[in-house]
Amino acid sequence: MFLGTHSPRLDEKGRIILPAKFREELAAGLVLTRGQERCIYVFSQKEFERIHESMREAPLSSKQARDYIRVFLSGASDEVPDKQGRVTIPPALRAYAGLGRELAVIGAGTRAEIWDAEAWNEYLAEKEAAFSETDDDHLPGFF
């Protein structure tokens, strides 16, 4: 499970050092792809295969499913971290997420997310107020 917030930097070659806590899960390979809210989703190879299998069950007649699958998979890049735990983020994904040098890598359970640090801080500031006001009506049985 991916948890926490980490603050790596993007190097001049477009690489980041994966958080130490995430390396074992991602050592055999990972998939980077477009995420919602202009971040990059990071899946272990195994989790990405599970997600892809569920996508295959979507009806081909559903335009919304076709559109989502096209955007999601066309931006996907499979990567293998090097011995130092570094992984290259392809230029198209860096541009999509608006990544600068300072990053936020967050754990989101079955995936990690890579954000531009400033974009993450703005998102978090906006969502924290709603988070503290969330009640059982919106997330029944959650707690």
mmCIF file of all heavy atoms in Angstrom, residues 10-34:
data_model
loop_
_atom_site.group_PDB
_atom_site.id
_atom_site.type_symbol
_atom_site.label_atom_id
_atom_site.label_comp_id
_atom_site.label_asym_id
_atom_site.label_seq_id
_atom_site.Cartn_x
_atom_site.Cartn_y
_atom_site.Cartn_z
ATOM 1 N N LEU A 10 12.912 16.621 -9.445
ATOM 2 C CA LEU A 10 13.119 16.160 -10.813
ATOM 3 C C LEU A 10 14.522 16.575 -11.227
ATOM 4 O O LEU A 10 14.886 17.754 -11.082
ATOM 5 C CB LEU A 10 12.066 16.822 -11.709
ATOM 6 C CG LEU A 10 11.849 16.266 -13.105
ATOM 7 C CD1 LEU A 10 11.331 14.830 -13.033
ATOM 8 C CD2 LEU A 10 10.852 17.132 -13.858
ATOM 9 N N ASP A 11 15.328 15.646 -11.718
ATOM 10 C CA ASP A 11 16.681 16.016 -12.132
ATOM 11 C C ASP A 11 16.674 16.521 -13.579
ATOM 12 O O ASP A 11 15.634 16.529 -14.252
ATOM 13 C CB ASP A 11 17.689 14.891 -11.882
ATOM 14 C CG ASP A 11 17.579 13.711 -12.843
ATOM 15 O OD1 ASP A 11 16.873 13.810 -13.871
ATOM 16 O OD2 ASP A 11 18.215 12.678 -12.570
ATOM 17 N N GLU A 12 17.841 16.936 -14.049
ATOM 18 C CA GLU A 12 17.949 17.524 -15.394
ATOM 19 C C GLU A 12 17.634 16.529 -16.509
ATOM 20 O O GLU A 12 17.363 16.932 -17.639
ATOM 21 C CB GLU A 12 19.338 18.151 -15.602
ATOM 22 C CG GLU A 12 20.503 17.194 -15.511
ATOM 23 C CD GLU A 12 20.899 16.822 -14.074
ATOM 24 O OE1 GLU A 12 20.463 17.507 -13.128
ATOM 25 O OE2 GLU A 12 21.624 15.835 -13.918
ATOM 26 N N LYS A 13 17.644 15.234 -16.209
ATOM 27 C CA LYS A 13 17.315 14.207 -17.206
ATOM 28 C C LYS A 13 15.859 13.756 -17.123
ATOM 29 O O LYS A 13 15.465 12.798 -17.769
ATOM 30 C CB LYS A 13 18.241 12.998 -17.034
ATOM 31 C CG LYS A 13 19.687 13.314 -17.332
ATOM 32 C CD LYS A 13 20.552 12.088 -17.155
ATOM 33 C CE LYS A 13 22.011 12.418 -17.441
ATOM 34 N NZ LYS A 13 22.872 11.237 -17.233
ATOM 35 N N GLY A 14 15.063 14.437 -16.282
ATOM 36 C CA GLY A 14 13.652 14.083 -16.166
ATOM 37 C C GLY A 14 13.403 12.866 -15.299
ATOM 38 O O GLY A 14 12.385 12.190 -15.439
ATOM 39 N N ARG A 15 14.313 12.597 -14.357
ATOM 40 C CA ARG A 15 14.180 11.439 -13.473
ATOM 41 C C ARG A 15 13.863 11.881 -12.050
ATOM 42 O O ARG A 15 14.239 12.971 -11.632
ATOM 43 C CB ARG A 15 15.484 10.628 -13.430
ATOM 44 C CG ARG A 15 15.923 10.095 -14.759
ATOM 45 C CD ARG A 15 17.261 9.414 -14.645
ATOM 46 N NE ARG A 15 18.257 10.369 -14.124
ATOM 47 C CZ ARG A 15 19.564 10.135 -14.076
ATOM 48 N NH1 ARG A 15 20.053 9.001 -14.504
ATOM 49 N NH2 ARG A 15 20.392 11.043 -13.593
ATOM 50 N N ILE A 16 13.191 10.986 -11.332
ATOM 51 C CA ILE A 16 13.015 11.182 -9.893
ATOM 52 C C ILE A 16 13.534 9.942 -9.184
ATOM 53 O O ILE A 16 13.578 8.856 -9.765
ATOM 54 C CB ILE A 16 11.544 11.431 -9.483
ATOM 55 C CG1 ILE A 16 10.676 10.209 -9.750
ATOM 56 C CG2 ILE A 16 10.979 12.644 -10.152
ATOM 57 C CD1 ILE A 16 9.340 10.253 -9.032
ATOM 58 N N ILE A 17 13.904 10.143 -7.931
ATOM 59 C CA ILE A 17 14.248 9.008 -7.076
ATOM 60 C C ILE A 17 12.969 8.637 -6.343
ATOM 61 O O ILE A 17 12.368 9.465 -5.653
ATOM 62 C CB ILE A 17 15.371 9.372 -6.092
ATOM 63 C CG1 ILE A 17 16.646 9.725 -6.856
ATOM 64 C CG2 ILE A 17 15.615 8.218 -5.111
ATOM 65 C CD1 ILE A 17 17.781 10.236 -5.978
ATOM 66 N N LEU A 18 12.536 7.409 -6.531
ATOM 67 C CA LEU A 18 11.324 6.954 -5.873
ATOM 68 C C LEU A 18 11.496 6.957 -4.357
ATOM 69 O O LEU A 18 12.586 6.648 -3.861
ATOM 70 C CB LEU A 18 10.974 5.535 -6.324
ATOM 71 C CG LEU A 18 10.625 5.368 -7.800
ATOM 72 C CD1 LEU A 18 10.559 3.888 -8.158
ATOM 73 C CD2 LEU A 18 9.322 6.058 -8.125
ATOM 74 N N PRO A 19 10.457 7.298 -3.626
ATOM 75 C CA PRO A 19 10.548 7.216 -2.170
ATOM 76 C C PRO A 19 10.963 5.800 -1.742
ATOM 77 O O PRO A 19 10.486 4.805 -2.305
ATOM 78 C CB PRO A 19 9.134 7.546 -1.701
ATOM 79 C CG PRO A 19 8.555 8.364 -2.816
ATOM 80 C CD PRO A 19 9.148 7.791 -4.067
ATOM 81 N N ALA A 20 11.834 5.716 -0.760
ATOM 82 C CA ALA A 20 12.345 4.417 -0.298
ATOM 83 C C ALA A 20 11.214 3.461 0.058
ATOM 84 O O ALA A 20 11.287 2.261 -0.238
ATOM 85 C CB ALA A 20 13.281 4.619 0.883
ATOM 86 N N LYS A 21 10.146 3.983 0.670
ATOM 87 C CA LYS A 21 9.014 3.136 1.075
ATOM 88 C C LYS A 21 8.309 2.497 -0.110
ATOM 89 O O LYS A 21 7.609 1.505 0.059
ATOM 90 C CB LYS A 21 7.991 3.964 1.857
ATOM 91 C CG LYS A 21 8.409 4.356 3.227
ATOM 92 C CD LYS A 21 7.286 5.122 3.886
ATOM 93 C CE LYS A 21 7.436 5.136 5.378
ATOM 94 N NZ LYS A 21 6.279 5.710 6.041
ATOM 95 N N PHE A 22 8.449 3.057 -1.299
ATOM 96 C CA PHE A 22 7.728 2.569 -2.483
ATOM 97 C C PHE A 22 8.574 1.641 -3.349
ATOM 98 O O PHE A 22 8.058 0.951 -4.222
ATOM 99 C CB PHE A 22 7.275 3.739 -3.361
ATOM 100 C CG PHE A 22 6.298 4.688 -2.712
ATOM 101 C CD1 PHE A 22 5.925 5.836 -3.377
ATOM 102 C CD2 PHE A 22 5.747 4.457 -1.462
ATOM 103 C CE1 PHE A 22 5.028 6.745 -2.808
ATOM 104 C CE2 PHE A 22 4.858 5.345 -0.881
ATOM 105 C CZ PHE A 22 4.494 6.491 -1.559
ATOM 106 N N ARG A 23 9.865 1.621 -3.135
ATOM 107 C CA ARG A 23 10.779 0.937 -4.063
ATOM 108 C C ARG A 23 10.557 -0.560 -4.171
ATOM 109 O O ARG A 23 10.613 -1.103 -5.268
ATOM 110 C CB ARG A 23 12.228 1.221 -3.678
ATOM 111 C CG ARG A 23 12.619 2.628 -3.999
ATOM 112 C CD ARG A 23 14.081 2.885 -3.733
ATOM 113 N NE ARG A 23 14.264 4.316 -3.563
ATOM 114 C CZ ARG A 23 15.264 4.860 -2.960
ATOM 115 N NH1 ARG A 23 16.239 4.117 -2.461
ATOM 116 N NH2 ARG A 23 15.346 6.173 -2.848
ATOM 117 N N GLU A 24 10.339 -1.222 -3.049
ATOM 118 C CA GLU A 24 10.166 -2.681 -3.112
ATOM 119 C C GLU A 24 8.970 -3.049 -3.984
ATOM 120 O O GLU A 24 9.061 -3.930 -4.842
ATOM 121 C CB GLU A 24 9.999 -3.270 -1.708
ATOM 122 C CG GLU A 24 9.953 -4.781 -1.718
ATOM 123 C CD GLU A 24 9.862 -5.370 -0.319
ATOM 124 O OE1 GLU A 24 10.246 -4.696 0.657
ATOM 125 O OE2 GLU A 24 9.396 -6.513 -0.221
ATOM 126 N N GLU A 25 7.851 -2.368 -3.791
ATOM 127 C CA GLU A 25 6.633 -2.639 -4.560
ATOM 128 C C GLU A 25 6.813 -2.353 -6.054
ATOM 129 O O GLU A 25 6.215 -2.999 -6.895
ATOM 130 C CB GLU A 25 5.480 -1.803 -4.006
ATOM 131 C CG GLU A 25 4.180 -1.956 -4.733
ATOM 132 C CD GLU A 25 3.436 -3.247 -4.442
ATOM 133 O OE1 GLU A 25 3.733 -3.900 -3.435
ATOM 134 O OE2 GLU A 25 2.559 -3.602 -5.239
ATOM 135 N N LEU A 26 7.684 -1.391 -6.377
ATOM 136 C CA LEU A 26 7.845 -0.959 -7.762
ATOM 137 C C LEU A 26 9.110 -1.480 -8.434
ATOM 138 O O LEU A 26 9.340 -1.220 -9.615
ATOM 139 C CB LEU A 26 7.834 0.576 -7.819
ATOM 140 C CG LEU A 26 6.565 1.243 -7.270
ATOM 141 C CD1 LEU A 26 6.747 2.754 -7.213
ATOM 142 C CD2 LEU A 26 5.348 0.866 -8.099
ATOM 143 N N ALA A 27 9.928 -2.224 -7.706
ATOM 144 C CA ALA A 27 11.230 -2.660 -8.210
ATOM 145 C C ALA A 27 11.141 -3.487 -9.490
ATOM 146 O O ALA A 27 11.984 -3.364 -10.381
ATOM 147 C CB ALA A 27 11.977 -3.445 -7.135
ATOM 148 N N ALA A 28 10.124 -4.320 -9.606
ATOM 149 C CA ALA A 28 10.001 -5.202 -10.774
ATOM 150 C C ALA A 28 9.464 -4.472 -12.000
ATOM 151 O O ALA A 28 9.482 -5.001 -13.103
ATOM 152 C CB ALA A 28 9.108 -6.393 -10.439
ATOM 153 N N GLY A 29 8.981 -3.275 -11.807
ATOM 154 C CA GLY A 29 8.442 -2.501 -12.914
ATOM 155 C C GLY A 29 7.220 -1.719 -12.480
ATOM 156 O O GLY A 29 6.550 -2.083 -11.509
ATOM 157 N N LEU A 30 6.962 -0.652 -13.201
ATOM 158 C CA LEU A 30 5.835 0.215 -12.872
ATOM 159 C C LEU A 30 5.287 0.816 -14.151
ATOM 160 O O LEU A 30 5.922 0.760 -15.203
ATOM 161 C CB LEU A 30 6.267 1.308 -11.901
ATOM 162 C CG LEU A 30 7.427 2.195 -12.352
ATOM 163 C CD1 LEU A 30 6.914 3.496 -12.938
ATOM 164 C CD2 LEU A 30 8.336 2.474 -11.177
ATOM 165 N N VAL A 31 4.108 1.381 -14.039
ATOM 166 C CA VAL A 31 3.499 2.071 -15.166
ATOM 167 C C VAL A 31 3.131 3.475 -14.706
ATOM 168 O O VAL A 31 2.509 3.654 -13.660
ATOM 169 C CB VAL A 31 2.252 1.326 -15.698
ATOM 170 C CG1 VAL A 31 1.585 2.115 -16.816
ATOM 171 C CG2 VAL A 31 2.628 -0.075 -16.184
ATOM 172 N N LEU A 32 3.557 4.454 -15.490
ATOM 173 C CA LEU A 32 3.197 5.849 -15.278
ATOM 174 C C LEU A 32 2.130 6.193 -16.312
ATOM 175 O O LEU A 32 2.256 5.807 -17.477
ATOM 176 C CB LEU A 32 4.409 6.760 -15.520
ATOM 177 C CG LEU A 32 5.663 6.496 -14.705
ATOM 178 C CD1 LEU A 32 6.823 7.327 -15.247
ATOM 179 C CD2 LEU A 32 5.412 6.812 -13.248
ATOM 180 N N THR A 33 1.105 6.909 -15.914
ATOM 181 C CA THR A 33 0.096 7.340 -16.868
ATOM 182 C C THR A 33 -0.594 8.604 -16.384
ATOM 183 O O THR A 33 -0.414 9.019 -15.238
ATOM 184 C CB THR A 33 -0.932 6.221 -17.168
ATOM 185 O OG1 THR A 33 -1.705 6.593 -18.313
ATOM 186 C CG2 THR A 33 -1.822 5.941 -15.976
ATOM 187 N N ARG A 34 -1.389 9.213 -17.275
ATOM 188 C CA ARG A 34 -2.131 10.414 -16.903
ATOM 189 C C ARG A 34 -3.095 10.087 -15.776
ATOM 190 O O ARG A 34 -3.800 9.090 -15.823
ATOM 191 C CB ARG A 34 -2.949 10.915 -18.082
ATOM 192 C CG ARG A 34 -2.161 11.448 -19.237
ATOM 193 C CD ARG A 34 -3.131 11.873 -20.350
ATOM 194 N NE ARG A 34 -2.427 12.177 -21.569
ATOM 195 C CZ ARG A 34 -2.324 11.349 -22.613
ATOM 196 N NH1 ARG A 34 -2.888 10.159 -22.582
ATOM 197 N NH2 ARG A 34 -1.665 11.712 -23.685
#
